Amino acid sequence: MIVNERIWTLFKRNWQHTLTYWSVFFSFGLCIAFLGPTILDLRCQTQSTLQEITCVFFSQQFCLLIGSSVGGIFKRTLACALSALFVSTLLISVVFAIMPLCHNVLLLAVAMAVAGLAMGVIDTIANVQLVKTYQKDSAIFLQALHFFIGLGALLSPLIADPFLSDTNCVVGNGTGNGTRELDHLRNTLTGGPVHNLSKYHLPMEGEVVTQVSYAFWIMAVINLPVPIAVFALIQRERLTVCCGPSSPRLLEQDELAMKAQGTGKQDPNDSDSGGHGDLFGCCRNDDLHGLPLSFFGVHILGGMVLFMTDGIIGAYAGFVYTYAVAPPMSLPHKTAGYLASVFWAAITAGRLVSIPLSYRVQPVYLLIVNMVGVIVTMLLLLVFHMDSLFLFAGTFLLGLCLSSVFPCMVAYTEDILEYRGCVTTVLVTGAGMGEMVLQVLVGSIIHSKGSYSFLLCDMIMACVGFTLFFGLLICHHMHR
C-alpha cells in the first residue's frame, strides 16, 4: 500500500473533515491568481485610472494578512472553526458574484478586502485544524492541503481567459496602438509588477466592452459546493451553535477517552489543547512565562524562514515576466507570458509529489533538500542568465523546490513544540507578510537598478532564508 494501515485508518475516521479542509483551500487558490489577468477588464468596468485600480491588490493582500493574524480566535471549538470556514467560503462566492456589479474602484477594493479577510481566516483555520486532527501524522495531509491551493490558482486564470478583452475596452476612439498597449499590459500584469502601470495611457471615453463578468459568475458557481460541504460537516457533527460549547458524539467520546488514557494527551479538538490561538492572543498568553528561549526561537525563526520563502514565491511570480522581456534576455512578450504559468504548474506538481514523499521522509529532511535546492537553482539562474531555455527549466525547478516548504515547516515546527503554542498562526502570518513586503521591495529595486537585480534579490533572499533555517535547526537541538 502507498500508506500504512494506521494512516489509512486515521483518514477513514476523519475523511469528511479532511476533504472539507482540502476543499476550502481550493477556494483560497481560486482567489489568488484571478486578479492579475482580469485587472484591465476591471479597470474598464470601474472607469478608473491604472493608478487607482492598483489599490485593489493592496486591499486584498493587507486584509489577507489581518485575517491570517486573527483567524486563530475561531479555533476555540470545532463549531466555531467550522462556522468561520462556512462564512468565509460563502463570502468568496458572494464576492465573485458581486464583482461585476462594482462599477466604482472603491467598491471593488472593499469587495477584495472582504475576500482577503476570508482567505486569511481559511489559511489559518484549515492549517490549524489539520494539525490538531493528525498531529505527528499531519505532514502528508498538509501537503495535500496545499496542493489544492495550486489547483485553484491554476484553474481561475483558465476560467477567466476566454472572457478577457482582446482589444481596447472602448468603442469608437480606440486605435491600433492602444490595442497593442493593451496586449502588452495584460501580459505584464500576468507576471509583472503592478507599480509600473502608470506609464501606460489607455483612453477612457466610450462604451465599455468587457465580458469578464461571466468569468466571475462561473467561479462563484464553481466555489459554491465548498460552503455546502462545510455546512454538511456542521450538520453531521450536530454543531448548530457558532462558537458555543459542543460535545463530541458518543462514539467519538469513547475513542478520545481511550486515546487520552493511552497517550496522556488531550483531545486535539479541545479548545485548550495546543494553544493555537490568534496572533495577539498568543502574545498575551499567561502560560508563556517560564518557557525556554528556544520555544520562542522556533516560532520566530520558523516565521522568518517562511517570510523569505513565500516572499520569493510572490516576487518571482510577479516579476519573472519583466525580467524575461527586458535585456539581456529580451524574450518575445508572448513567450515570456508562459513563465508565470510554468512556475505555478511546478508548485502544484511539487505539492502533489510531496504527498507520498512526506509519508516516507521526515519534514526536516524535505526542508533541507528544498532550501538547498532553492539556492542551487538561483545560483544556476544567475550563471546562465543569458540562456532563455534554462530560464524556463530553472523556473520549473524553483517552483518544485519552493512548493512544499510551507506545509513541511508547519509539520516540523509543530512536531518540535509537541503541538503547543501558536506556531501555525505565526507561520501563516509570517508567510503573508513576506509575500506582501518583499514583492514591493523587489519591485522597487528592479525599478531603480534594472532587471538583472531581480535574480540577485531572489538569491539574497534564498541565502538569508537558509541561514535562518540553519538557526532553526540549532534551536531545535537546544529545545527540550
Side-chain angles (χ1 to χ4, degrees):
M1 294 180 63
I2 298 179
V3 296
N4 64 20
E5 189 65 28
R6 183 174 59 86
I7 298 293
W8 180 243
T9 301
L10 284 173
F11 176 74
K12 287 192 295 184
R13 182 183 302 169
N14 302 283
W15 69 270
Q16 190 168 356
H17 291 78
T18 306
L19 293 179
T20 301
Y21 299 144
W22 289 349
S23 68
V24 298
F25 253 43
F26 175 79
S27 293
F28 186 99
L30 278 178
C31 284
I32 283 182
F34 82 90
L35 198 55
T38 62
I39 195 71
L40 278 183
D41 295 82
L42 291 174
R43 171 191 172 270
C44 296
Q45 174 184 298
T46 55
Q47 291 290 285
S48 59
T49 64
L50 293 170
Q51 188 174 10
E52 291 171 344
I53 197 67
T54 55
C55 71
V56 175
F57 284 89
F58 178 79
S59 66
Q60 183 190 40
Q61 289 295 324
F62 181 72
C63 290
L64 191 155
L65 179 61
I66 294 176
S68 299
S69 301
V70 303
I73 64 176
F74 299 107
K75 67 93 202 180
R76 302 188 186 279
T77 65
L78 182 60
C80 194
L82 292 180
S83 298
L85 289 179
F86 171 73
V87 173
S88 298
T89 52
L90 187 61
L91 278 176
I92 288 177
S93 280
V94 171
V95 167
F96 279 137
I98 67 174
M99 282 187 70
L101 308 178
C102 296
H103 296 287
N104 180 280
V105 69
L106 182 59
L107 293 177
L108 186 62
V110 170
M112 291 311 303
V114 172
L117 284 173
M119 292 165 65
V121 171
I122 287 172
D123 198 7
T124 297
I125 291 181
N127 279 289
V128 166
Q129 289 300 121
L130 265 186
V131 169
K132 289 166 65 178
T133 300
Y134 291 102
Q135 297 204 5
K136 289 185 180 295
D137 300 300
S138 62
I140 185 172
F141 300 100
L142 285 170
Q143 295 288 354
L145 180 74
H146 288 267
F147 162 76
F148 281 91
I149 290 185
L151 186 62
L154 280 177
L155 184 60
S156 58
L158 295 177
I159 295 173
D161 185 69
F163 302 100
L164 298 178
S165 302
D166 294 323
T167 60
N168 204 325
C169 61
V170 296
V171 175
N173 295 322
T175 63
N177 182 57
T179 300
R180 287 193 298 272
E181 284 185 351
L182 179 66
D183 293 336
H184 173 71
L185 184 53
R186 171 164 293 114
N187 287 331
T188 303
L189 284 166
T190 303
V194 176
H195 59 274
N196 286 338
L197 303 179
S198 56
K199 67 180 181 178
Y200 294 99
H201 260 322
L202 300 182
M204 297 294 299
E205 61 275 44
E207 179 185 356
V208 175
V209 178
T210 176
Q211 296 180 323
V212 77
S213 303
Y214 298 108
F216 292 122
W217 290 330
I218 291 173
M219 284 188 279
V221 173
I222 289 177
N223 182 70
L224 201 55
V226 178
I228 294 175
V230 179
F231 184 75
L233 181 58
I234 293 174
Q235 294 300 308
R236 175 180 177 271
E237 296 294 326
R238 304 185 185 95
L239 305 174
T240 57
V241 180
C242 175
C243 299
S246 59
S247 59
R249 290 170 296 174
L250 185 59
L251 178 60
E252 292 177 350
Q253 287 178 339
D254 295 338
E255 292 174 348
L256 294 175
M258 293 173 61
K259 185 186 296 186
Q261 293 173 0
T263 63
K265 294 182 179 179
Q266 291 176 303
D267 170 16
N269 285 329
D270 185 358
S271 61
D272 295 330
S273 67
H276 301 78
D278 63 290
L279 188 63
F280 307 107
C282 294
C283 298
R284 297 192 304 266
N285 194 340
D286 294 335
D287 296 334
L288 298 180
H289 298 295
L291 291 173
L293 290 177
S294 57
F295 178 88
F296 304 99
V298 170
H299 284 78
I300 295 171
L301 291 173
M304 289 302 297
V305 171
L306 290 186
F307 182 91
M308 292 297 170
T309 54
D310 271 53
I312 294 174
I313 291 177
Y316 199 89
F319 300 111
V320 65
Y321 175 86
T322 301
Y323 169 76
V325 298
M329 191 66 66
S330 301
L331 288 180
H333 293 160
K334 187 173 182 180
T335 302
Y338 291 110
L339 284 167
S341 299
V342 169
F343 185 66
W344 277 110
I347 289 178
T348 305
R351 287 170 176 169
L352 182 62
V353 171
S354 297
I355 294 174
L357 280 179
S358 61
Y359 165 68
R360 301 181 180 277
V361 183
Q362 294 183 17
V364 62
Y365 299 123
L366 287 177
L367 281 171
I368 292 173
V369 172
N370 288 336
M371 298 300 294
V372 172
V374 171
I375 293 179
V376 172
T377 302
M378 290 308 309
L379 181 62
L380 291 174
L381 283 169
L382 282 169
V383 172
F384 299 103
H385 65 277
M386 296 290 293
D387 190 338
S388 59
L389 182 61
F390 187 79
L391 179 61
F392 280 88
T395 297
F396 189 83
L397 287 175
L398 184 64
L400 285 178
C401 293
L402 290 168
S403 60
S404 60
V405 171
F406 187 96
C408 285
M409 183 63 71
V410 172
Y412 175 53
T413 52
E414 287 282 10
D415 192 29
I416 294 175
L417 301 180
E418 296 181 349
Y419 310 94
R420 301 191 64 83
C422 301
V423 65
T424 298
T425 303
V426 173
L427 294 183
V428 170
T429 304
M433 290 181 63
E435 190 167 353
M436 182 176 67
V437 173
L438 294 182
Q439 190 174 33
V440 175
L441 179 62
V442 172
S444 301
I445 295 175
I446 293 174
H447 181 73
S448 59
K449 301 297 182 181
S451 63
Y452 185 79
S453 60
F454 163 69
L455 293 179
L456 187 60
C457 287
D458 287 337
M459 181 65 183
I460 293 173
M461 287 189 291
C463 292
V464 172
F466 182 80
T467 303
L468 292 168
F469 176 67
F470 184 74
L472 179 61
L473 294 177
I474 296 175
C475 197
H476 179 198
H477 179 72
M478 297 170 56
H479 182 70
R480 290 183 300 173

